[in-house]
Amino acid sequence: MSNHNICPLITMADSDLMSMIDSAVTLEKLKDSKINAIWLEATGCSGNIISLLDAKNPNALYFLEQMVNLTYNNSIMAKEGQQAFDIFLNTLDTEFILFVDGAVALKNNGKYNIVARNNEKDITALEAVKMAGERAKYVIAVGTCASHGGISAAYPNPSQCVSISKVLNREVINLPGCPCNPRWVIGTVAHIITKGKPALDNLNRPLLFYGHTIHDRCPRRSFFDRGIFASKLGEESCMFKLGCRGPVTRTDCPINKWNGHVNWPIGDNTPCIGCAQAYFPDGMEPFINY
């Protein structure tokens, strides 16, 4: 594959970030700079927290022990009920990062998504996101639902779901993907801790991971350049005419892949469906086109 469309600066910065995480000097710096974090699951499928737990090199244990102090998460924390929400409230008085996984339901003042109870009162995801989002040092929308509405906001959107940026009047770092690759989460936080906020594009996505289209780096790009297109699934040539959304989708999937660099959709003879796009899923349909 020709790499004439790949920007050396971005590629070098990406590589530098990964080596930076692995360095012993940075390990000590991360320990000294460990910041509190709230991971709030709103209207979604919990796919992003599952994806994070499947992280490799560095893994989720490294992330939780060395990089952040995760005080609250709807799914994986040991405490529950009022005790759990008290920890949420106490964290608001500290310096912390807010991660939001899932969109925010607006219908009936957010009562389509109850995330906790406080003194016998239901707390909606809408309330919790506003409470924490207004006080967090950084807000990171994890996954396409949190970043752009995603599947939760797909037509006809009965719960009136919206992205996190639609309910917070502040900067939100968007990490779209369905689910978000754990490396995009861990890499963004590592950059924040060691170098500050990463450079963002016009959709507030870190250029480190969203700076190029899949088409730019696709191992099947040479087939596209020579006009060799698959006519059905299973043919190992360019799937553009089958509806592949790689030319319009910006992620580093061809380089990073998934499940510890094991594979990714195109490597498994499946067209990219554009799950990290701002208008996924409605704007990406049909996913297969003959």
Side-chain angles (χ1 to χ4, degrees):
M1 183 192 75
S2 169
N3 66 352
H4 62 278
N5 288 323
I6 298 177
C7 170
L9 178 61
I10 297 296
T11 304
M12 182 176 63
D14 196 315
S15 174
D16 178 64
L17 177 57
M18 293 303 103
S19 62
M20 176 186 65
I21 290 177
D22 291 335
S23 73
V25 173
T26 299
L27 178 61
E28 293 305 314
K29 184 186 293 186
L30 291 177
K31 286 180 179 178
D32 294 339
S33 307
K34 198 171 179 183
I35 187 172
N36 286 339
I38 291 173
W39 186 294
L40 186 63
E41 295 179 46
T43 310
C45 66
S46 299
N48 293 293
I49 190 65
I50 294 171
S51 180
L52 179 71
L53 293 174
D54 287 335
K56 301 285 191 301
N57 191 32
N59 59 22
L61 192 61
Y62 181 99
F63 179 68
L64 296 174
E65 288 184 344
Q66 307 294 342
M67 297 175 65
V68 299
N69 176 35
L70 186 63
T71 63
Y72 182 90
N73 172 269
N74 310 43
S75 295
I76 65 174
M77 67 187 300
K79 293 186 183 297
E80 58 186 30
Q82 187 67 52
Q83 285 186 322
F85 199 69
D86 284 344
I87 294 173
F88 174 92
L89 294 174
N90 291 336
T91 305
L92 301 185
D93 293 326
T94 70
E95 183 177 82
F96 69 97
I97 297 174
L98 171 65
F99 299 93
V100 182
D101 171 358
V104 177
L106 299 182
K107 190 169 183 179
N108 292 347
N109 293 320
K111 291 187 177 178
Y112 274 54
N113 185 198
I114 306 298
V115 296
R117 286 179 63 81
N118 182 37
N119 297 323
E120 304 304 318
K121 176 185 178 295
D122 289 338
I123 303 297
T124 67
L126 176 60
E127 290 176 285
V129 167
K130 287 184 174 180
M131 290 169 64
E134 292 171 356
R135 303 175 71 168
K137 185 173 184 179
Y138 298 97
V139 177
I140 300 178
V142 184
T144 302
C145 288
S147 299
H148 305 299
I151 289 176
S152 298
Y155 179 84
N157 194 7
S159 58
Q160 297 175 4
C161 279
V162 297
S163 66
I164 305 309
S165 59
K166 294 288 181 65
V167 299
L168 293 178
N169 185 26
R170 60 163 298 163
E171 181 181 70
V172 176
I173 298 174
N174 291 322
L175 303 179
C178 192
C180 179
N181 194 303
R183 181 171 171 270
W184 305 339
V185 178
I186 295 173
T188 298
V189 174
H191 200 289
I192 286 173
I193 292 172
T194 59
K195 295 186 176 183
K197 185 183 73 176
L200 307 177
D201 67 8
N202 63 333
L203 294 178
N204 279 4
R205 303 172 298 188
L207 289 171
L208 284 169
F209 310 114
Y210 302 89
H212 297 278
T213 66
I214 286 175
H215 189 63
D216 288 339
R217 293 169 162 176
C218 182
R220 301 191 184 192
R221 175 62 183 268
S222 62
F223 290 111
F224 177 89
D225 292 342
R226 290 181 288 159
I228 303 174
F229 298 101
S231 60
K232 61 183 178 180
L233 294 176
E235 294 181 358
E236 294 189 13
S237 52
C238 179
M239 292 184 281
F240 177 73
K241 290 188 176 181
L242 293 179
C244 181
R245 300 298 192 260
V248 297
T249 303
R250 291 181 174 271
T251 70
D252 68 356
C253 292
I255 305 300
N256 184 51
K257 300 183 182 180
W258 292 81
N259 298 323
H261 303 277
V262 171
N263 207 346
W264 66 301
I266 290 174
D268 201 37
N269 283 320
T270 302
C272 167
I273 63 174
C275 76
Q277 281 291 85
Y279 34 93
F280 175 83
D282 295 345
M284 294 287 97
E285 295 176 341
F287 296 145
I288 302 292
N289 181 35
Y290 293 98

